[in-house]
Amino acid sequence: MTIAEMLNQSIILTLLGMGVVFSFLIILIGFMHLLRICVHAAGLDKEAPKADATTSAAPAVDQKAIVAAIATALHEKN
């Protein structure tokens, strides 16, 4: 096999590989658009209602107690 034949074969292989990748990306974009349409049709793209401050899962914390704990920890460190 001569160098010219190897270069010709490498160019063909490169173009074939790039074509496969490009085709896969086009198919992937098509499926993403199809998924967007399905999600929109099912109504799953709506935002969930946000929880109020009174119904939050985290317990209410006294800010003064936190400041006092930090001050105590700093005071004991020195």
Side-chain angles (χ1 to χ4, degrees), residues 2-24:
T2 65
I3 293 193
E5 291 173 340
M6 287 193 298
L7 283 175
N8 190 23
Q9 189 176 14
S10 67
I11 290 171
I12 292 171
L13 186 61
T14 300
L15 292 176
L16 182 65
M18 290 173 69
V20 168
V21 170
F22 187 72
S23 300
F24 177 75

PDB file of all heavy atoms in Angstrom, residues 2-24:
ATOM      1  N   THR A   2       0.651   2.122  -0.927  1.00  0.00           N
ATOM      2  CA  THR A   2       1.480   3.317  -1.035  1.00  0.00           C
ATOM      3  C   THR A   2       0.976   4.390  -0.068  1.00  0.00           C
ATOM      4  O   THR A   2      -0.116   4.289   0.502  1.00  0.00           O
ATOM      5  CB  THR A   2       1.443   3.873  -2.468  1.00  0.00           C
ATOM      6  OG1 THR A   2       0.122   4.305  -2.747  1.00  0.00           O
ATOM      7  CG2 THR A   2       1.863   2.821  -3.484  1.00  0.00           C
ATOM      8  N   ILE A   3       1.784   5.420   0.050  1.00  0.00           N
ATOM      9  CA  ILE A   3       1.428   6.509   0.954  1.00  0.00           C
ATOM     10  C   ILE A   3       0.188   7.237   0.448  1.00  0.00           C
ATOM     11  O   ILE A   3      -0.675   7.636   1.234  1.00  0.00           O
ATOM     12  CB  ILE A   3       2.632   7.466   1.129  1.00  0.00           C
ATOM     13  CG1 ILE A   3       3.728   6.738   1.869  1.00  0.00           C
ATOM     14  CG2 ILE A   3       2.205   8.744   1.804  1.00  0.00           C
ATOM     15  CD1 ILE A   3       4.837   7.573   2.390  1.00  0.00           C
ATOM     16  N   ALA A   4       0.056   7.388  -0.840  1.00  0.00           N
ATOM     17  CA  ALA A   4      -1.113   8.067  -1.402  1.00  0.00           C
ATOM     18  C   ALA A   4      -2.390   7.281  -1.103  1.00  0.00           C
ATOM     19  O   ALA A   4      -3.434   7.867  -0.769  1.00  0.00           O
ATOM     20  CB  ALA A   4      -0.935   8.244  -2.901  1.00  0.00           C
ATOM     21  N   GLU A   5      -2.322   5.959  -1.211  1.00  0.00           N
ATOM     22  CA  GLU A   5      -3.482   5.130  -0.893  1.00  0.00           C
ATOM     23  C   GLU A   5      -3.835   5.212   0.589  1.00  0.00           C
ATOM     24  O   GLU A   5      -5.014   5.263   0.967  1.00  0.00           O
ATOM     25  CB  GLU A   5      -3.228   3.671  -1.290  1.00  0.00           C
ATOM     26  CG  GLU A   5      -3.162   3.443  -2.783  1.00  0.00           C
ATOM     27  CD  GLU A   5      -2.736   2.023  -3.119  1.00  0.00           C
ATOM     28  OE1 GLU A   5      -2.140   1.343  -2.255  1.00  0.00           O
ATOM     29  OE2 GLU A   5      -3.004   1.595  -4.246  1.00  0.00           O
ATOM     30  N   MET A   6      -2.822   5.232   1.452  1.00  0.00           N
ATOM     31  CA  MET A   6      -3.074   5.340   2.894  1.00  0.00           C
ATOM     32  C   MET A   6      -3.685   6.698   3.241  1.00  0.00           C
ATOM     33  O   MET A   6      -4.594   6.784   4.079  1.00  0.00           O
ATOM     34  CB  MET A   6      -1.782   5.107   3.685  1.00  0.00           C
ATOM     35  CG  MET A   6      -1.343   3.660   3.696  1.00  0.00           C
ATOM     36  SD  MET A   6      -0.068   3.275   4.905  1.00  0.00           S
ATOM     37  CE  MET A   6       1.274   4.285   4.378  1.00  0.00           C
ATOM     38  N   LEU A   7      -3.187   7.767   2.606  1.00  0.00           N
ATOM     39  CA  LEU A   7      -3.766   9.092   2.846  1.00  0.00           C
ATOM     40  C   LEU A   7      -5.213   9.151   2.364  1.00  0.00           C
ATOM     41  O   LEU A   7      -6.081   9.717   3.045  1.00  0.00           O
ATOM     42  CB  LEU A   7      -2.935  10.164   2.153  1.00  0.00           C
ATOM     43  CG  LEU A   7      -1.620  10.541   2.833  1.00  0.00           C
ATOM     44  CD1 LEU A   7      -0.844  11.513   1.972  1.00  0.00           C
ATOM     45  CD2 LEU A   7      -1.877  11.135   4.203  1.00  0.00           C
ATOM     46  N   ASN A   8      -5.475   8.568   1.216  1.00  0.00           N
ATOM     47  CA  ASN A   8      -6.833   8.535   0.688  1.00  0.00           C
ATOM     48  C   ASN A   8      -7.760   7.760   1.630  1.00  0.00           C
ATOM     49  O   ASN A   8      -8.876   8.193   1.921  1.00  0.00           O
ATOM     50  CB  ASN A   8      -6.842   7.915  -0.708  1.00  0.00           C
ATOM     51  CG  ASN A   8      -8.172   8.076  -1.396  1.00  0.00           C
ATOM     52  OD1 ASN A   8      -8.935   8.968  -1.069  1.00  0.00           O
ATOM     53  ND2 ASN A   8      -8.445   7.202  -2.354  1.00  0.00           N
ATOM     54  N   GLN A   9      -7.303   6.640   2.115  1.00  0.00           N
ATOM     55  CA  GLN A   9      -8.091   5.823   3.034  1.00  0.00           C
ATOM     56  C   GLN A   9      -8.293   6.553   4.368  1.00  0.00           C
ATOM     57  O   GLN A   9      -9.375   6.501   4.952  1.00  0.00           O
ATOM     58  CB  GLN A   9      -7.407   4.480   3.262  1.00  0.00           C
ATOM     59  CG  GLN A   9      -8.256   3.501   4.021  1.00  0.00           C
ATOM     60  CD  GLN A   9      -7.585   2.141   4.155  1.00  0.00           C
ATOM     61  OE1 GLN A   9      -6.379   2.009   3.908  1.00  0.00           O
ATOM     62  NE2 GLN A   9      -8.360   1.150   4.529  1.00  0.00           N
ATOM     63  N   SER A  10      -7.283   7.272   4.848  1.00  0.00           N
ATOM     64  CA  SER A  10      -7.428   7.987   6.116  1.00  0.00           C
ATOM     65  C   SER A  10      -8.409   9.143   5.983  1.00  0.00           C
ATOM     66  O   SER A  10      -9.173   9.427   6.902  1.00  0.00           O
ATOM     67  CB  SER A  10      -6.070   8.486   6.606  1.00  0.00           C
ATOM     68  OG  SER A  10      -5.557   9.478   5.738  1.00  0.00           O
ATOM     69  N   ILE A  11      -8.425   9.803   4.823  1.00  0.00           N
ATOM     70  CA  ILE A  11      -9.381  10.884   4.601  1.00  0.00           C
ATOM     71  C   ILE A  11     -10.801  10.335   4.568  1.00  0.00           C
ATOM     72  O   ILE A  11     -11.721  10.907   5.177  1.00  0.00           O
ATOM     73  CB  ILE A  11      -9.039  11.653   3.307  1.00  0.00           C
ATOM     74  CG1 ILE A  11      -7.748  12.451   3.503  1.00  0.00           C
ATOM     75  CG2 ILE A  11     -10.176  12.570   2.895  1.00  0.00           C
ATOM     76  CD1 ILE A  11      -7.206  13.069   2.242  1.00  0.00           C
ATOM     77  N   ILE A  12     -10.987   9.229   3.886  1.00  0.00           N
ATOM     78  CA  ILE A  12     -12.314   8.605   3.826  1.00  0.00           C
ATOM     79  C   ILE A  12     -12.766   8.179   5.214  1.00  0.00           C
ATOM     80  O   ILE A  12     -13.917   8.407   5.612  1.00  0.00           O
ATOM     81  CB  ILE A  12     -12.301   7.414   2.843  1.00  0.00           C
ATOM     82  CG1 ILE A  12     -12.128   7.909   1.413  1.00  0.00           C
ATOM     83  CG2 ILE A  12     -13.582   6.589   2.977  1.00  0.00           C
ATOM     84  CD1 ILE A  12     -11.897   6.800   0.398  1.00  0.00           C
ATOM     85  N   LEU A  13     -11.875   7.585   5.984  1.00  0.00           N
ATOM     86  CA  LEU A  13     -12.210   7.144   7.337  1.00  0.00           C
ATOM     87  C   LEU A  13     -12.530   8.327   8.234  1.00  0.00           C
ATOM     88  O   LEU A  13     -13.474   8.279   9.038  1.00  0.00           O
ATOM     89  CB  LEU A  13     -11.061   6.319   7.922  1.00  0.00           C
ATOM     90  CG  LEU A  13     -11.308   5.662   9.261  1.00  0.00           C
ATOM     91  CD1 LEU A  13     -12.462   4.686   9.177  1.00  0.00           C
ATOM     92  CD2 LEU A  13     -10.054   4.956   9.734  1.00  0.00           C
ATOM     93  N   THR A  14     -11.797   9.415   8.100  1.00  0.00           N
ATOM     94  CA  THR A  14     -12.057  10.622   8.885  1.00  0.00           C
ATOM     95  C   THR A  14     -13.429  11.200   8.552  1.00  0.00           C
ATOM     96  O   THR A  14     -14.208  11.534   9.449  1.00  0.00           O
ATOM     97  CB  THR A  14     -10.966  11.675   8.629  1.00  0.00           C
ATOM     98  OG1 THR A  14      -9.696  11.143   9.007  1.00  0.00           O
ATOM     99  CG2 THR A  14     -11.245  12.946   9.420  1.00  0.00           C
ATOM    100  N   LEU A  15     -13.730  11.320   7.270  1.00  0.00           N
ATOM    101  CA  LEU A  15     -15.034  11.849   6.865  1.00  0.00           C
ATOM    102  C   LEU A  15     -16.173  10.933   7.301  1.00  0.00           C
ATOM    103  O   LEU A  15     -17.240  11.407   7.712  1.00  0.00           O
ATOM    104  CB  LEU A  15     -15.060  12.069   5.351  1.00  0.00           C
ATOM    105  CG  LEU A  15     -14.142  13.183   4.831  1.00  0.00           C
ATOM    106  CD1 LEU A  15     -14.189  13.229   3.306  1.00  0.00           C
ATOM    107  CD2 LEU A  15     -14.545  14.511   5.423  1.00  0.00           C
ATOM    108  N   LEU A  16     -15.958   9.632   7.229  1.00  0.00           N
ATOM    109  CA  LEU A  16     -16.979   8.685   7.672  1.00  0.00           C
ATOM    110  C   LEU A  16     -17.228   8.820   9.175  1.00  0.00           C
ATOM    111  O   LEU A  16     -18.381   8.857   9.629  1.00  0.00           O
ATOM    112  CB  LEU A  16     -16.558   7.254   7.323  1.00  0.00           C
ATOM    113  CG  LEU A  16     -17.542   6.154   7.687  1.00  0.00           C
ATOM    114  CD1 LEU A  16     -18.823   6.304   6.864  1.00  0.00           C
ATOM    115  CD2 LEU A  16     -16.922   4.791   7.461  1.00  0.00           C
ATOM    116  N   GLY A  17     -16.164   8.928   9.955  1.00  0.00           N
ATOM    117  CA  GLY A  17     -16.307   9.093  11.401  1.00  0.00           C
ATOM    118  C   GLY A  17     -17.004  10.390  11.760  1.00  0.00           C
ATOM    119  O   GLY A  17     -17.887  10.424  12.624  1.00  0.00           O
ATOM    120  N   MET A  18     -16.643  11.460  11.087  1.00  0.00           N
ATOM    121  CA  MET A  18     -17.290  12.740  11.351  1.00  0.00           C
ATOM    122  C   MET A  18     -18.763  12.700  10.938  1.00  0.00           C
ATOM    123  O   MET A  18     -19.621  13.290  11.598  1.00  0.00           O
ATOM    124  CB  MET A  18     -16.553  13.860  10.613  1.00  0.00           C
ATOM    125  CG  MET A  18     -15.178  14.144  11.196  1.00  0.00           C
ATOM    126  SD  MET A  18     -14.226  15.309  10.206  1.00  0.00           S
ATOM    127  CE  MET A  18     -15.127  16.807  10.474  1.00  0.00           C
ATOM    128  N   GLY A  19     -19.057  12.000   9.873  1.00  0.00           N
ATOM    129  CA  GLY A  19     -20.450  11.860   9.435  1.00  0.00           C
ATOM    130  C   GLY A  19     -21.289  11.091  10.433  1.00  0.00           C
ATOM    131  O   GLY A  19     -22.440  11.439  10.699  1.00  0.00           O
ATOM    132  N   VAL A  20     -20.708  10.035  11.012  1.00  0.00           N
ATOM    133  CA  VAL A  20     -21.426   9.252  12.025  1.00  0.00           C
ATOM    134  C   VAL A  20     -21.712  10.105  13.248  1.00  0.00           C
ATOM    135  O   VAL A  20     -22.829  10.103  13.779  1.00  0.00           O
ATOM    136  CB  VAL A  20     -20.626   7.983  12.395  1.00  0.00           C
ATOM    137  CG1 VAL A  20     -21.189   7.321  13.634  1.00  0.00           C
ATOM    138  CG2 VAL A  20     -20.616   7.008  11.240  1.00  0.00           C
ATOM    139  N   VAL A  21     -20.734  10.855  13.710  1.00  0.00           N
ATOM    140  CA  VAL A  21     -20.921  11.705  14.886  1.00  0.00           C
ATOM    141  C   VAL A  21     -21.954  12.784  14.594  1.00  0.00           C
ATOM    142  O   VAL A  21     -22.841  13.048  15.413  1.00  0.00           O
ATOM    143  CB  VAL A  21     -19.572  12.325  15.332  1.00  0.00           C
ATOM    144  CG1 VAL A  21     -19.783  13.386  16.394  1.00  0.00           C
ATOM    145  CG2 VAL A  21     -18.647  11.239  15.849  1.00  0.00           C
ATOM    146  N   PHE A  22     -21.870  13.415  13.451  1.00  0.00           N
ATOM    147  CA  PHE A  22     -22.821  14.457  13.085  1.00  0.00           C
ATOM    148  C   PHE A  22     -24.233  13.895  12.994  1.00  0.00           C
ATOM    149  O   PHE A  22     -25.195  14.514  13.470  1.00  0.00           O
ATOM    150  CB  PHE A  22     -22.395  15.089  11.755  1.00  0.00           C
ATOM    151  CG  PHE A  22     -23.203  16.282  11.373  1.00  0.00           C
ATOM    152  CD1 PHE A  22     -23.066  17.482  12.057  1.00  0.00           C
ATOM    153  CD2 PHE A  22     -24.109  16.211  10.324  1.00  0.00           C
ATOM    154  CE1 PHE A  22     -23.817  18.594  11.707  1.00  0.00           C
ATOM    155  CE2 PHE A  22     -24.859  17.311   9.971  1.00  0.00           C
ATOM    156  CZ  PHE A  22     -24.715  18.501  10.663  1.00  0.00           C
ATOM    157  N   SER A  23     -24.371  12.709  12.411  1.00  0.00           N
ATOM    158  CA  SER A  23     -25.689  12.071  12.314  1.00  0.00           C
ATOM    159  C   SER A  23     -26.251  11.770  13.696  1.00  0.00           C
ATOM    160  O   SER A  23     -27.443  11.990  13.964  1.00  0.00           O
ATOM    161  CB  SER A  23     -25.600  10.776  11.509  1.00  0.00           C
ATOM    162  OG  SER A  23     -25.131  11.036  10.221  1.00  0.00           O
ATOM    163  N   PHE A  24     -25.403  11.276  14.592  1.00  0.00           N
ATOM    164  CA  PHE A  24     -25.856  10.984  15.952  1.00  0.00           C
ATOM    165  C   PHE A  24     -26.308  12.254  16.654  1.00  0.00           C
ATOM    166  O   PHE A  24     -27.322  12.247  17.368  1.00  0.00           O
ATOM    167  CB  PHE A  24     -24.740  10.304  16.757  1.00  0.00           C
ATOM    168  CG  PHE A  24     -25.119  10.043  18.178  1.00  0.00           C
ATOM    169  CD1 PHE A  24     -25.991   9.016  18.509  1.00  0.00           C
ATOM    170  CD2 PHE A  24     -24.630  10.850  19.191  1.00  0.00           C
ATOM    171  CE1 PHE A  24     -26.354   8.793  19.823  1.00  0.00           C
ATOM    172  CE2 PHE A  24     -24.987  10.625  20.499  1.00  0.00           C
ATOM    173  CZ  PHE A  24     -25.851   9.598  20.822  1.00  0.00           C
TER     174      PHE A  24
END
